[in-house]
Amino acid sequence: QVQLVESGGGLVQAGGSLRLSCAASGRTGSTYAMGWFRQAPGKEREFVACISWSGASIAYADSVKGRFTISRDNAKNTVYLQMNSLKPEDTAVYYCAARNSRAPMTRPSDYDYWGQGTQVTVSS
């Protein structure tokens, strides 16, 4: 089994930056894709970004393009989400997820493992 633990969330002012980390442990596959999702109260879980095992394939939600960057360090079993130019509408619980495939996907149902989430709050 795979365990995912997010960190790096917190409270920031609009225009500020945060870097989220997600550390994976346990019996990960030889290759796996990773994704970031977020969910605000009363809203559906929303795709943010995803990345293939090699890092060659990356996708972003339109709402975060140009502001967020996903990356991974396979030697450390860690995926990152660098968030710049944060807006109040970015406020949500952010979750990392892992999929037993190289191919990244944008739907929550395509992922096999989930972290507990980390709160990101952006004040105006």
Side-chain angles (χ1 to χ4, degrees), residues 26-70:
R27 298 186 65 186
T28 58
S30 58
T31 60
Y32 55 94
M34 300 289 293
W36 285 97
F37 296 80
R38 65 188 183 186
Q39 188 166 20
K43 299 183 68 176
E44 295 291 314
R45 187 164 297 186
E46 177 187 23
F47 167 75
V48 176
C50 58
I51 187 169
S52 64
W53 177 82
S54 68
S57 297
I58 294 174
Y60 297 97
D62 288 342
S63 60
V64 306
K65 286 181 179 178
R67 299 189 298 120
F68 291 10
T69 302
I70 188 171

Coordinates of all heavy atoms in Angstrom, one line a residue, residues 26-70:
G26 N 5.7 3.5 1.4 CA 5.1 2.2 1.2 C 5.5 1.6 -0.1 O 6.5 1.9 -0.7
R27 N 4.7 0.6 -0.5 CA 5.0 -0.1 -1.7 C 4.5 0.6 -3.0 O 3.4 0.2 -3.5 CB 4.4 -1.5 -1.6 CG 5.0 -2.3 -0.5 CD 4.6 -3.8 -0.5 NE 5.0 -4.5 -1.7 CZ 4.7 -5.7 -2.0 NH1 3.8 -6.4 -1.3 NH2 5.2 -6.3 -3.1
T28 N 5.2 1.5 -3.4 CA 4.8 2.2 -4.7 C 5.3 1.3 -5.8 O 6.2 0.5 -5.8 CB 5.5 3.6 -4.8 OG1 7.0 3.4 -4.7 CG2 5.1 4.5 -3.7
G29 N 4.6 1.5 -6.9 CA 4.9 0.8 -8.1 C 6.2 1.3 -8.7 O 6.7 2.4 -8.3
S30 N 6.8 0.6 -9.7 CA 8.0 1.1 -10.3 C 7.7 2.4 -11.1 O 8.7 3.2 -11.2 CB 8.5 0.0 -11.3 OG 7.6 -0.3 -12.3
T31 N 6.5 2.6 -11.6 CA 6.1 3.8 -12.2 C 4.7 4.2 -11.7 O 3.9 3.4 -11.6 CB 6.1 3.7 -13.7 OG1 5.2 2.7 -14.1 CG2 7.5 3.3 -14.3
Y32 N 4.5 5.5 -11.5 CA 3.2 6.0 -11.1 C 3.1 7.5 -11.4 O 4.1 8.2 -11.3 CB 2.9 5.7 -9.6 CG 4.0 6.3 -8.7 CD1 3.8 7.5 -8.1 CD2 5.1 5.5 -8.4 CE1 4.8 8.0 -7.2 CE2 6.1 6.1 -7.5 CZ 5.9 7.3 -6.9 OH 6.8 7.8 -6.0
A33 N 2.0 7.9 -11.8 CA 1.7 9.3 -12.0 C 1.1 9.9 -10.8 O 0.6 9.2 -9.9 CB 0.7 9.5 -13.2
M34 N 1.3 11.2 -10.7 CA 0.8 12.0 -9.5 C 0.0 13.1 -9.9 O 0.1 13.7 -11.0 CB 2.0 12.5 -8.7 CG 3.0 11.4 -8.2 SD 2.2 10.4 -6.8 CE 2.1 11.6 -5.5
G35 N -1.0 13.5 -9.0 CA -1.8 14.6 -9.3 C -2.1 15.4 -8.1 O -1.9 15.0 -6.9
W36 N -2.5 16.7 -8.3 CA -3.0 17.5 -7.2 C -4.4 17.9 -7.5 O -4.7 18.3 -8.7 CB -2.1 18.8 -7.1 CG -0.8 18.6 -6.5 CD1 0.4 18.5 -7.1 CD2 -0.5 18.6 -5.1 NE1 1.4 18.3 -6.2 CE2 0.9 18.4 -4.9 CE3 -1.3 18.7 -3.9 CZ2 1.5 18.3 -3.7 CZ3 -0.6 18.6 -2.7 CH2 0.7 18.4 -2.6
F37 N -5.2 17.9 -6.5 CA -6.6 18.3 -6.6 C -6.9 19.2 -5.4 O -6.2 19.3 -4.4 CB -7.5 17.1 -6.5 CG -7.4 16.1 -7.7 CD1 -6.3 15.2 -7.7 CD2 -8.3 16.2 -8.8 CE1 -6.2 14.4 -8.8 CE2 -8.1 15.3 -9.8 CZ -7.1 14.4 -9.9
R38 N -8.0 19.9 -5.5 CA -8.4 20.8 -4.4 C -9.9 20.8 -4.3 O -10.7 20.5 -5.3 CB -7.9 22.2 -4.6 CG -8.5 23.0 -5.8 CD -7.8 24.3 -6.0 NE -8.4 25.1 -7.1 CZ -7.9 26.2 -7.5 NH1 -6.8 26.7 -7.0 NH2 -8.5 26.8 -8.5
Q39 N -10.4 21.1 -3.1 CA -11.8 21.1 -2.8 C -12.2 22.2 -1.8 O -11.6 22.2 -0.7 CB -12.3 19.7 -2.3 CG -13.8 19.6 -2.2 CD -14.3 18.2 -2.0 OE1 -13.5 17.3 -1.6 NE2 -15.5 17.9 -2.3
A40 N -13.0 23.1 -2.2 CA -13.5 24.1 -1.4 C -14.9 23.7 -0.8 O -15.6 22.9 -1.4 CB -13.7 25.5 -2.1
P41 N -15.3 24.3 0.4 CA -16.6 23.9 1.0 C -17.7 24.1 0.0 O -17.8 25.1 -0.6 CB -16.7 24.8 2.2 CG -15.3 25.1 2.5 CD -14.5 25.2 1.2
G42 N -18.6 23.1 -0.1 CA -19.7 23.1 -1.0 C -19.4 23.0 -2.5 O -20.4 23.1 -3.3
K43 N -18.2 22.7 -2.8 CA -17.9 22.5 -4.2 C -17.3 21.1 -4.5 O -16.9 20.4 -3.6 CB -16.8 23.6 -4.6 CG -17.3 25.0 -4.5 CD -16.3 26.0 -5.0 CE -16.1 25.9 -6.5 NZ -15.2 27.0 -7.0
E44 N -17.3 20.7 -5.8 CA -16.8 19.5 -6.2 C -15.3 19.5 -6.1 O -14.6 20.6 -6.2 CB -17.2 19.1 -7.6 CG -18.7 18.9 -7.7 CD -19.2 17.6 -7.0 OE1 -18.5 16.6 -7.2 OE2 -20.2 17.7 -6.3
R45 N -14.7 18.3 -5.9 CA -13.2 18.2 -6.0 C -12.8 18.6 -7.4 O -13.3 18.1 -8.4 CB -12.8 16.8 -5.6 CG -11.3 16.7 -5.5 CD -10.9 15.4 -4.7 NE -11.4 15.4 -3.4 CZ -11.1 14.5 -2.5 NH1 -10.3 13.5 -2.8 NH2 -11.6 14.6 -1.3
E46 N -11.8 19.4 -7.5 CA -11.3 20.1 -8.7 C -9.9 19.7 -9.1 O -9.0 19.7 -8.2 CB -11.4 21.6 -8.6 CG -10.9 22.4 -9.8 CD -10.9 23.8 -9.5 OE1 -10.8 24.2 -8.3 OE2 -11.0 24.6 -10.5
F47 N -9.7 19.3 -10.3 CA -8.3 19.0 -10.8 C -7.5 20.3 -10.8 O -8.0 21.4 -11.2 CB -8.4 18.4 -12.2 CG -7.1 18.4 -12.9 CD1 -6.2 17.5 -12.6 CD2 -6.8 19.3 -13.9 CE1 -4.9 17.4 -13.3 CE2 -5.6 19.3 -14.6 CZ -4.7 18.3 -14.3
V48 N -6.2 20.1 -10.4 CA -5.3 21.2 -10.4 C -4.1 21.0 -11.3 O -3.9 21.8 -12.2 CB -4.8 21.5 -9.0 CG1 -3.7 22.6 -9.0 CG2 -5.9 21.9 -8.0
A49 N -3.4 19.9 -11.2 CA -2.3 19.6 -12.0 C -2.0 18.1 -11.9 O -2.3 17.4 -10.9 CB -1.1 20.4 -11.6
C50 N -1.3 17.6 -12.9 CA -0.8 16.2 -12.8 C 0.5 16.0 -13.5 O 0.9 16.9 -14.4 CB -1.9 15.2 -13.3 SG -2.4 15.5 -15.0
I51 N 1.2 15.0 -13.2 CA 2.5 14.7 -13.8 C 2.8 13.2 -14.0 O 2.4 12.4 -13.1 CB 3.6 15.4 -13.0 CG1 5.0 15.4 -13.6 CG2 3.7 14.8 -11.6 CD1 6.0 16.3 -13.0
S52 N 3.4 12.9 -15.1 CA 3.7 11.5 -15.3 C 4.9 11.1 -14.5 O 5.6 11.9 -13.9 CB 4.0 11.2 -16.8 OG 5.1 11.9 -17.2
W53 N 5.2 9.8 -14.5 CA 6.4 9.3 -13.7 C 7.7 9.9 -14.1 O 8.5 10.3 -13.3 CB 6.4 7.7 -13.9 CG 7.6 7.1 -13.2 CD1 7.7 6.8 -11.8 CD2 8.9 6.8 -13.8 NE1 9.0 6.3 -11.6 CE2 9.7 6.3 -12.7 CE3 9.4 6.9 -15.1 CZ2 11.0 5.8 -13.0 CZ3 10.7 6.4 -15.3 CH2 11.5 5.9 -14.3
S54 N 7.9 10.1 -15.4 CA 9.1 10.6 -16.0 C 9.1 12.1 -15.8 O 10.2 12.7 -16.0 CB 9.3 10.2 -17.4 OG 8.3 10.9 -18.2
G55 N 8.0 12.8 -15.6 CA 7.9 14.2 -15.7 C 7.7 14.8 -17.0 O 7.6 16.0 -17.2
A56 N 7.7 14.0 -18.1 CA 7.6 14.4 -19.4 C 6.2 14.9 -19.8 O 6.0 15.8 -20.7 CB 8.0 13.4 -20.4
S57 N 5.2 14.4 -19.1 CA 3.8 14.8 -19.4 C 3.2 15.5 -18.2 O 3.2 14.9 -17.1 CB 2.9 13.5 -19.7 OG 3.4 12.9 -20.9
I58 N 2.8 16.7 -18.4 CA 2.2 17.6 -17.4 C 1.0 18.3 -17.9 O 0.9 18.7 -19.0 CB 3.3 18.6 -16.9 CG1 4.5 17.9 -16.3 CG2 2.7 19.7 -16.0 CD1 5.6 18.9 -15.9
A59 N 0.0 18.4 -17.0 CA -1.2 19.1 -17.4 C -1.6 20.0 -16.2 O -1.4 19.6 -15.0 CB -2.3 18.1 -17.8
Y60 N -2.3 21.1 -16.5 CA -2.8 22.0 -15.5 C -4.2 22.4 -15.8 O -4.6 22.5 -17.0 CB -2.0 23.3 -15.5 CG -0.5 23.2 -15.1 CD1 0.5 23.1 -16.1 CD2 -0.1 23.1 -13.8 CE1 1.8 23.0 -15.7 CE2 1.2 23.0 -13.4 CZ 2.2 22.9 -14.4 OH 3.5 22.8 -14.0
A61 N -5.0 22.7 -14.8 CA -6.3 23.3 -15.0 C -6.1 24.7 -15.5 O -5.1 25.4 -15.2 CB -7.0 23.3 -13.6
D62 N -7.0 25.1 -16.3 CA -7.0 26.5 -16.9 C -6.8 27.6 -15.8 O -6.2 28.6 -16.0 CB -8.2 26.8 -17.8 CG -8.2 26.0 -19.1 OD1 -7.1 25.5 -19.5 OD2 -9.2 25.9 -19.7
S63 N -7.5 27.4 -14.7 CA -7.5 28.4 -13.6 C -6.2 28.6 -13.0 O -6.0 29.6 -12.3 CB -8.5 28.0 -12.6 OG -8.2 26.7 -12.0
V64 N -5.2 27.7 -13.1 CA -3.9 27.8 -12.5 C -2.8 27.9 -13.5 O -1.6 28.1 -13.0 CB -3.7 26.7 -11.5 CG1 -4.8 26.6 -10.5 CG2 -3.4 25.4 -12.2
K65 N -3.0 27.8 -14.8 CA -1.9 27.9 -15.7 C -1.2 29.2 -15.6 O -1.8 30.3 -15.5 CB -2.5 27.7 -17.1 CG -2.9 26.3 -17.5 CD -3.4 26.2 -18.9 CE -3.7 24.8 -19.3 NZ -4.3 24.7 -20.7
G66 N 0.1 29.1 -15.7 CA 0.9 30.3 -15.6 C 1.2 30.8 -14.1 O 2.1 31.6 -13.9
R67 N 0.6 30.2 -13.2 CA 0.8 30.5 -11.8 C 1.3 29.3 -10.9 O 2.1 29.6 -10.0 CB -0.5 31.0 -11.1 CG -1.1 32.2 -11.8 CD -2.3 32.8 -11.0 NE -3.4 31.8 -10.9 CZ -3.9 31.3 -9.8 NH1 -3.4 31.7 -8.6 NH2 -4.9 30.5 -9.8
F68 N 0.9 28.1 -11.2 CA 1.3 26.9 -10.5 C 2.2 26.1 -11.3 O 2.1 26.0 -12.6 CB 0.1 26.1 -10.1 CG -0.9 26.7 -9.1 CD1 -0.8 28.0 -8.7 CD2 -1.9 25.9 -8.6 CE1 -1.6 28.5 -7.8 CE2 -2.7 26.4 -7.6 CZ -2.6 27.7 -7.2
T69 N 3.1 25.4 -10.6 CA 4.1 24.5 -11.3 C 4.1 23.2 -10.5 O 4.4 23.2 -9.3 CB 5.5 25.1 -11.4 OG1 5.4 26.4 -12.1 CG2 6.4 24.2 -12.1
I70 N 3.9 22.1 -11.2 CA 4.1 20.8 -10.6 C 5.4 20.2 -11.0 O 5.9 20.4 -12.1 CB 2.9 19.9 -11.0 CG1 2.9 18.6 -10.2 CG2 2.9 19.6 -12.5 CD1 1.7 17.7 -10.4

